[in-house]
Amino acid sequence: MTEPAPRIEPPAPAPAGTGAPVGRRERKKAQTRQALADAALRLFLERGFEQVGVKEIAEAADVSVTTLFKHFASKEALVFDLEGDIEASLVAAVRDRAPGQSILQALRAYVLLTQEHAASLDVTAFARLVADTPALRDYAHRMWMRHEAALARAIAQEAGAPEDDVTCAALAHFALASRTLTGGRPAPRQATEEIFDLLERGWAAVRPES
C-alpha cells in the first residue's frame, strides 16, 4: 500500500492539567477518522481528487458512507483532516506562550517551527494535489480564513483589545500570509525572519506592551 503524504503542521499542544485517559470509544473514533483520511489521501494522490468518490474512500477504510460523513463534512475536508488541530495550535501559540514572550515572538516561533517541520518532510505530492485542484485550493483558502479569525480573537484577548480590533486582525492576517509569501524562496527562513521583523516593528508601534 502506498503511504499517504505526511501532514505538514505540528499537532496541537496537549491540554494542560488533564491526566484523564482516552476512552475506548474515543480511540475507536480517532482510528476511524485516521483510516478515512489516510485512505482518501492515498487514493487522491494515486488517481486525482475528482476521480475518486466518497463511496470508494469509505470502502477502502472499511466503513459506510454514513460513517464517513459523521467524521468529515465534505470530501475536501478529508484532505485537511488536521484542520481542528492546526487552529488549536495557532491559538495555543499565543495564549500559552512562555512568560515574558511577546505575541509576535510567539507567532514567529510557531511559523518557523511549522516551516522547519514541513522542510523535514516530503510534501511535494500533497502540495501539488492541492495546487492542481480548484476545489481544494478554495477549501484551503476558506480554512485559513477561519484560522485567521480565531487567531485574531486570541491576539485581541491577550493584548487586552476589543475582539474586532483591526490591528489584531491585521497581525493575524499577515502572520498567516507569511507562509505563502515565503513559499518557493531560496532562503525561506530568512524571508520569514524579515517578514516578522517588519511585523514586530509595526506591532510595537501600536501595542508596545504586547
Side-chain angles (χ1 to χ4, degrees):
M1 179 183 293
T2 304
E3 289 295 322
R7 273 41 176 180
I8 62 174
E9 297 285 352
T18 61
V22 178
R24 180 179 178 183
R25 177 176 292 185
E26 287 71 24
R27 289 199 305 271
K28 177 70 173 175
K29 287 171 65 175
Q31 289 167 358
T32 299
R33 181 180 175 86
Q34 188 64 58
L36 283 164
D38 287 349
L41 192 54
R42 174 174 56 81
L43 290 170
F44 293 155
L45 290 174
E46 288 175 355
R47 293 162 45 197
F49 180 80
E50 302 294 350
Q51 284 66 50
V52 178
V54 292
K55 184 178 180 181
E56 294 174 83
I57 297 167
E59 289 175 350
D62 196 25
V63 301
S64 67
V65 173
T66 300
T67 297
L68 183 152
F69 282 116
K70 285 181 179 177
H71 289 273
F72 295 96
S74 67
K75 181 178 167 185
E76 291 83 1
L78 284 154
V79 177
F80 301 97
D81 60 297
L82 295 182
E83 180 177 349
D85 290 347
I86 295 169
E87 187 167 298
S89 66
L90 272 168
V91 171
V94 172
R95 290 184 176 163
D96 300 338
R97 65 191 187 281
Q101 186 180 41
S102 71
I103 292 172
L104 250 301
Q105 289 169 343
L107 285 172
R108 183 196 295 254
Y110 176 87
V111 171
L112 288 172
L113 176 64
T114 61
Q115 191 178 75
E116 291 169 4
H117 184 71
S120 69
L121 302 170
D122 179 11
V123 296
T124 304
F126 177 87
R128 187 165 56 245
L129 172 68
V130 175
D132 292 347
T133 310
L136 293 180
R137 291 202 308 270
D138 291 345
Y139 187 94
H141 175 71
R142 294 194 304 271
M143 178 184 74
W144 279 109
M145 288 300 292
R146 290 193 294 273
H147 295 341
E148 183 179 312
L151 180 58
R153 287 194 298 271
I155 292 170
Q157 185 178 40
E158 292 300 304
E163 186 174 295
D164 62 350
D165 182 81
V166 69
T167 62
C168 297
L171 177 57
H173 175 81
F174 288 110
L176 293 178
S178 67
R179 295 162 47 89
T180 303
L181 293 170
T182 59
R185 291 186 177 271
R189 182 183 180 91
Q190 179 182 340
T192 298
E193 295 279 16
E194 290 174 358
I195 289 170
F196 274 90
D197 286 345
L198 178 63
L199 291 177
E200 195 150 2
R201 288 194 293 273
W203 183 249
V206 295
R207 303 268 174 201
E209 304 302 319
S210 302

